[in-house]
Amino acid sequence: MSGFSELVATRFSCRAYRTDPVPRAALEQILEAARRAPSACNRQPWRFAVVTEPALRSRLLDEGLLPGLGMTWAAEAPVILVMGMKKSMITHRIAPLLSQVEYPLLDLGIAGEHAILQATELGLGTCWIGWIRPKVVRRILGWPADILPQSLITVGWPTSRPEEGSPRLPLADIVTWR
Ligand SMILES: Cc1cc2nc3c(=O)[nH]c(=O)nc-3n(C[C@H](O)[C@H](O)[C@H](O)COP(=O)(O)O)c2cc1C
């Protein structure tokens, strides 16, 4: 991969995986990229669970997903990265009351995409899964009450890549120049 633009263009939501395991060193590199993400007041509200154990992955997918999207493909992914949010009192509960900005959600999104882009650079496929039951996921993981899962990210070796990426709105529709 020659540069950042190519990395961004290469990433896609991967929904077909080989079942081969992902080396621990690759997972640590992915987590390190997430850990380097910026966050409001440097609060670092993210917490991660790396789930490779087959029975636990099955439970996450069987019980932790909401119905309706038919995400059976996720069972092939050898790794499920769970993104959890641990809120602080001032930055995450009081400041948003004044600003109306959801800082910890922004922070988790940045960290998750750092992880995903690092995975992409390593040739791995990923997909955000936000259609989840956060409290069920928390119980399955045995996380404490102050950490709420916000997303799963599947990680594994893609079986194929789409010829074209998903469509995007044109810049003219989403940008205001002043
Ligand atoms: C916060 C978030 C939640 C998502 N949740 C799901 C999901 O539950 N299931 C799914 O199949 N894809 C999910 N996606 C993937 C999107 O559908 C996908 O990013 C979008 O269609 C654009 O396609 P692309 O990622 O291939 O460019 C999610 C993406 C984001 C960023």
Side-chain angles (χ1 to χ4, degrees), residues 127-140:
C127 189
W128 285 93
I129 297 182
W131 194 234
I132 62 169
R133 295 184 166 106
K135 290 182 180 172
V136 174
V137 172
R138 176 167 65 195
R139 177 170 44 74
I140 292 170

Side-chain angles (χ1 to χ4, degrees), residues 83-154:
M83 302 278 304
M85 181 167 74
K86 183 175 161 109
K87 286 188 175 181
S88 73
M89 185 52 75
I90 293 174
T91 307
H92 301 143
R93 295 191 197 280
I94 296 176
L97 294 176
L98 301 172
S99 68
Q100 308 296 313
V101 177
E102 294 291 342
Y103 302 106
L105 280 179
L106 284 172
D107 298 340
L108 254 70
I110 298 167
E113 200 59 14
H114 270 207
I116 278 176
L117 290 172
Q118 179 61 76
T120 305
E121 192 192 47
L122 295 170
L124 288 157
T126 56
C127 189
W128 285 93
I129 297 182
W131 194 234
I132 62 169
R133 295 184 166 106
K135 290 182 180 172
V136 174
V137 172
R138 176 167 65 195
R139 177 170 44 74
I140 292 170
L141 293 176
W143 269 353
D146 61 348
I147 304 178
L148 191 61
Q150 296 292 304
S151 188
L152 313 183
I153 297 175
T154 50

Side-chain angles (χ1 to χ4, degrees), residues 61-71 131-133:
L61 299 176
D62 292 346
E63 302 168 35
L65 300 189
L66 285 164
L69 288 191
M71 293 188 278
W131 194 234
I132 62 169
R133 295 184 166 106

Side-chain angles (χ1 to χ4, degrees), residues 11-13 15 69 71 73 127-131 166 168:
R11 185 217 60 82
F12 68 102
S13 287
R15 298 188 179 91
L69 288 191
M71 293 188 278
W73 52 266
C127 189
W128 285 93
I129 297 182
W131 194 234
S166 305
R168 292 295 190 267

Side-chain angles (χ1 to χ4, degrees), residues 24 38 50 56 76-77 92 105 114-115 151 177:
R24 171 83 177 218
V50 183
L56 204 53
E76 296 163 11
H92 301 143
L105 280 179
H114 270 207
S151 188
W177 299 81

